[in-house]
Amino acid sequence: MRDYPLVAWLLAALGVAILHRWIDDADWLLLHIVLLGALTQGIVVWSWHFAQTLLHASDTHGGRRHQTWRLALLNAGAILVLISVPTHLWWVTLVGASMVAVAAAWHGWALWRMLRRALPGRFRVSVHYYLGSAASLVLGAGLGTWLASLDDGPLHGRVLVAHALTNTLGWVGLTLTGT
C-alpha cells in the first residue's frame, strides 16, 4: 500500500499524457493524477516515515496497519474525485473529497499522537509542519469540492486560486519546508 499505488498513479499519468487528445478535461485530469494521486500518496507515506524516524517512535498501536487503511481511504477518495469531476457528478465529488479530507485529518491526528508520546528532540519541529500540511489538505479538499459545484464566474476564479494555493503552498509547501 506504500509503493505500488504511487507507481500506478504515475503510470496513469503517463497514459493520460499519451492519450490526452482523446480525453475530455485531460489537463485537469493529468494535474490531479500527479498532485492528488502520486504526490499525495508520497507525502503521506514519507511524512509518516520521517516523523517516526525523527521522533524515534516505535511502530506500536497498529501504526503500520492504520497507515495502510489511511492510504486506502485516501486513494479511493482520489479515484472518486478523478472520475466524478470530469463527468460532473458533484455528489460523487463530495464523497471522494470527503474521503480525502478524512484520510488527511486522520493522518494529522496520528502524527499529533506520535508527537505527544515522543521524547523531546531537536527535529520535532518538522512534525509540526506535517500537521499544518495535513490541515491544509483538509481545507484544500473542501475548497475543491466547492469549486466543482460552481459555474464559471468571478467566484469560481477566486475559489480556484484559494484551492490551488492551499494545496500547493499548504499541503506540498509545508511538507517540503518541514522536511
Side-chain angles (χ1 to χ4, degrees):
M1 214 36 217
R2 286 150 198 75
D3 299 326
Y4 294 128
L6 180 61
V7 172
W9 286 119
L10 293 176
L11 288 174
L14 179 64
V16 170
I18 291 170
L19 302 172
H20 72 278
R21 292 185 178 158
W22 302 281
I23 298 174
D24 291 336
D25 294 324
D27 294 340
W28 179 92
L29 193 58
L30 188 57
L31 178 76
H32 284 80
I33 288 172
V34 171
L35 296 179
L36 177 60
L39 191 59
T40 297
Q41 169 80 17
I43 287 173
V44 170
V45 167
W46 287 103
S47 63
W48 180 261
H49 171 73
F50 289 148
Q52 257 187 328
T53 302
L54 295 173
L55 298 174
H56 304 287
S58 63
D59 197 18
T60 59
H61 306 295
R64 186 170 276 266
R65 184 172 30 95
H66 289 165
Q67 185 191 31
T68 299
W69 283 107
R70 283 192 298 274
L71 290 170
L73 182 64
L74 175 73
N75 285 302
I79 289 168
L80 287 177
V81 168
L82 292 169
I83 291 169
S84 64
V85 170
T87 58
H88 307 288
L89 296 171
W90 186 80
W91 68 273
V92 179
T93 303
L94 176 65
V95 171
S98 296
M99 291 167 69
V100 169
V102 167
W106 186 6
H107 178 65
W109 178 74
L111 288 171
W112 179 77
R113 285 190 51 188
M114 185 189 306
L115 184 64
R116 284 197 47 210
R117 290 192 308 260
L119 296 172
R122 164 172 94 170
F123 297 112
R124 71 186 286 130
V125 68
S126 293
V127 181
H128 290 277
Y129 281 90
Y130 299 156
L131 295 175
S133 72
S136 294
L137 183 57
V138 172
L139 177 61
L143 289 168
T145 304
W146 185 21
L147 184 63
S149 72
L150 296 174
D151 294 327
D152 286 338
L155 183 60
H156 183 274
R158 290 182 183 115
V159 176
L160 176 63
V161 169
H163 170 68
L165 290 177
T166 300
N167 287 318
T168 305
L169 298 178
W171 175 235
V172 177
L174 286 174
T175 301
L176 292 175
T177 302
T179 302

